[in-house]
Amino acid sequence: MRTQVVIIGSGPAGLLLGQLLHTYGVDNIIVERKDRDYILGRIRAGVLEQGTVRLLEDVGAAARLHREGLIHDGIELLFDGVRHRIDMKEATGGKTVTVYGQTEVTHDLMDARVAAGRQTIYNADQVTPLDFDGPSPRVTYVKDGVTHEIACDYIAGCDGFHGVSRQSVPAAALKEFERVYPFGWLGVLSETPPVSPELIYARHARGFALCSMRSLTRSRYYVQCSLEDHVDNWSDDQFWDELRRRLDPEAAEALVTGPSIEKSIAPLRSFVAEPMRFGRLFLAGDAAHIVPPTGAKGLNLAASDVHYLAEALREAYTDKSSAGVDAYSARALARVWKAERFSWWMTSMLHRFDDTDEFSSRIQIAELNYLVSSRAATTSLSENYVGLPY
Ligand code: FAS
Ligand code: PHB
């Protein structure tokens, strides 16, 4: 088999890249180790920046998002028992975010890919990117016991943090930066109306909590938990009781509880691999970087990465210029590190750190008090949360 670009991974990064390349007339095949239903069963992100929405519009995959997505002008910060609204729309001159689950984004992109007649190979085992340091890269994989090979011009590693692409790069060629946080997020999805019209980020002595949503009838909640914790230790009632303890009285009273339809613990880390290009292999999305979800940046960074990569590949094919591919890594990393900083800052400000002292706790409160009383600080949070320009 031969194509112009092989994309490894059918998550948001791979699917969005595939559709962008399709609109640019660049042939591509996605090779994915799982199947469609497994991918759609993963519950992840919930907040889209305007840039991400625009890219989905560009590839014709935003119709349902515009019907069902919720436009949010602000968020609330809860600390010392008081909620403070951050009016991001006012602070950024009109920018907003859209609440629409990653599962739905993935579903819409998969449907768009089928409609475009583009090929995705699911259940591909032993996917291996080869010869990407030369002019004739190729990808091999095993399916139903048969080994296949796809010759191509470029390989896009969109296979997430645990994927094969970054692992295929010689260790000496990579520099990795990492901060692992000493806690996780226990998340619950429930068919219950959200406790509040906008997201509530709560700092509490017992730990962080987040009230989010997927629609006006489906809510997504998180509480900070220990890394030693296990989801089996938490009955639904225990989760709801702990969430109530971390909310203000009004929200605790208003909280509508119900059976969890998904419950899981996600670890938190900050991670960046540099560079994001190795010859004709490019890394994009979680394959290259991870952010703690506190800043709602993970999915949105995957989108900006593939925006830059698709532009670069279009330039390579259309203008026969390597300027874009040569600049891809530096261009993507410039935005990645700003999102890493923001996500680290939100996480440091809102979570309970058992290994720090009272001084650090007072600094967190001072940071939050400054944030809600300074227009400059509110503007800074807002412009990062709605998404810095590409
Ligand atoms: P993905 O991991 O989504 O997709 C990679 C794809 O590659 C997968 O389909 C995988 O099966 C496939 N793959 C892996 N190895 C392969 C191989 N060897 N061969 C072929 N295919 C392979 N972000 C937020 O903004 N908010 C959140 O609340 C949030 N919660 C998260 C919770 C969890 C548990 C995780 C893991 C991430 C969360 N994220 C969140 C971040 C998440 O949304 C990612 O940023 C987003 O999925 C990135 O998309 P991709 O880069 O496409 O990677
Ligand atoms: C979510 O709805 O899953 C969500 C929203 C905002 C975040 C993290 C997760 O910062």
Side-chain angles (χ1 to χ4, degrees):
M1 257 185 292
R2 176 174 233 295
T3 187
Q4 290 178 300
V5 181
V6 172
I7 299 169
I8 302 177
S10 178
L15 286 164
L16 182 54
L17 176 61
Q19 288 314 102
L20 286 166
L21 293 176
H22 170 71
T23 55
Y24 299 156
V26 178
D27 194 29
N28 64 89
I29 293 175
I30 293 180
V31 187
E32 162 63 50
R33 76 174 169 187
K34 298 293 186 183
D35 62 28
R36 177 186 162 101
D37 291 342
Y38 180 92
I39 297 165
L40 292 173
R42 292 188 301 227
I43 305 301
R44 290 193 176 161
V47 173
L48 306 183
E49 297 173 355
Q50 283 185 198
T52 304
V53 173
R54 207 169 10 253
L55 289 171
L56 292 167
E57 289 168 347
D58 290 349
V59 299
R64 189 161 69 102
L65 179 157
H66 285 309
R67 284 199 309 273
E68 299 175 11
L70 303 172
I71 306 288
H72 280 203
D73 299 351
I75 59 172
E76 289 193 295
L77 297 177
L78 163 58
F79 58 98
D80 286 346
V82 178
R83 273 193 264 167
H84 304 262
R85 183 165 188 270
I86 303 287
D87 186 343
M88 300 191 294
K89 185 173 184 179
E90 193 281 327
T92 60
K95 292 186 178 177
T96 58
V97 291
T98 301
V99 171
Y100 189 70
Q102 174 173 324
T103 305
E104 311 318 319
V105 171
T106 305
H107 202 295
D108 296 342
L109 284 169
M110 284 176 168
D111 290 350
R113 186 166 182 83
V114 170
R118 289 293 178 186
Q119 189 179 9
T120 298
I121 298 164
Y122 291 108
N123 297 315
D125 289 327
Q126 299 170 50
V127 177
T128 311
L130 295 164
D131 300 339
F132 47 82
D133 52 351
S136 310
R138 57 200 172 95
V139 173
T140 60
Y141 65 92
V142 175
K143 188 167 169 86
D144 304 327
V146 177
T147 298
H148 301 265
E149 177 174 296
I150 309 175
C152 56
D153 302 327
Y154 300 100
I155 303 169
C158 299
D159 44 352
F161 183 67
H162 300 290
V164 66
S165 298
R166 192 179 71 250
Q167 315 297 344
S168 300
V169 174
L174 264 178
K175 183 164 180 53
E176 297 183 349
F177 304 83
E178 186 168 49
R179 163 109 8 127
V180 178
Y181 298 91
F183 40 74
W185 279 16
L186 167 63
V188 157
L189 193 65
S190 57
E191 285 300 344
T192 55
V195 69
S196 176
E198 294 177 327
L199 273 61
I200 302 174
Y201 287 81
R203 178 202 178 273
H204 190 277
R206 297 178 65 88
F208 170 81
L210 171 61
C211 300
S212 183
M213 64 195 78
R214 291 293 178 269
S215 69
L216 297 180
T217 60
R218 177 170 286 199
S219 296
R220 179 69 167 165
Y221 294 107
Y222 298 93
V223 296
Q224 174 184 347
C225 65
S226 153
L227 277 180
E228 285 69 52
D229 220 333
H230 193 280
V231 69
D232 294 342
N233 298 340
W234 290 84
S235 69
D236 288 358
D237 287 346
Q238 285 169 316
F239 176 84
W240 295 123
D241 289 346
E242 186 58 40
L243 177 62
R244 278 198 196 88
R245 290 189 194 102
R246 302 186 188 186
L247 296 177
D248 57 285
E250 181 196 348
E253 177 65 31
L255 182 67
V256 176
T257 65
S260 58
I261 53 179
E262 193 270 353
K263 194 190 299 178
S264 56
I265 293 180
L268 272 66
R269 78 173 77 236
S270 298
F271 173 86
V272 179
E274 291 186 1
M276 290 170 59
R277 180 234 179 149
F278 309 89
R280 289 177 175 252
L281 169 67
F282 301 91
L283 302 180
D286 278 17
H289 42 72
I290 294 287
V291 285
T294 327
K297 290 296 149 214
L299 173 55
N300 294 296
L301 272 184
S304 53
D305 284 353
V306 299
H307 162 72
Y308 298 136
L309 183 53
E311 290 289 317
L313 292 171
R314 174 170 65 166
E315 205 177 294
Y317 284 110
T318 312
D319 309 340
K320 306 288 180 252
S321 160
S322 70
V325 292
D326 293 341
Y328 165 69
S329 181
R331 194 176 177 205
L333 283 167
R335 192 169 193 274
V336 164
W337 275 110
K338 289 174 186 161
E340 289 283 347
R341 180 208 67 82
F342 176 67
S343 305
W344 162 83
W345 172 72
M346 286 282 279
T347 304
S348 305
M349 181 171 63
L350 291 164
H351 286 76
R352 171 187 163 140
F353 289 78
D354 289 337
D355 60 348
T356 56
D357 55 9
E358 268 304 294
F359 175 82
S360 304
S361 180
R362 289 287 193 281
I363 291 292
Q364 283 183 326
I365 294 295
E367 182 88 48
L368 285 160
N369 277 316
Y370 170 61
L371 186 49
V372 300
S373 59
S374 156
R375 180 170 179 74
T378 296
T379 303
S380 174
L381 182 154
S382 301
E383 68 178 8
N384 280 279
Y385 195 93
V386 300
L388 295 176
Y390 284 8

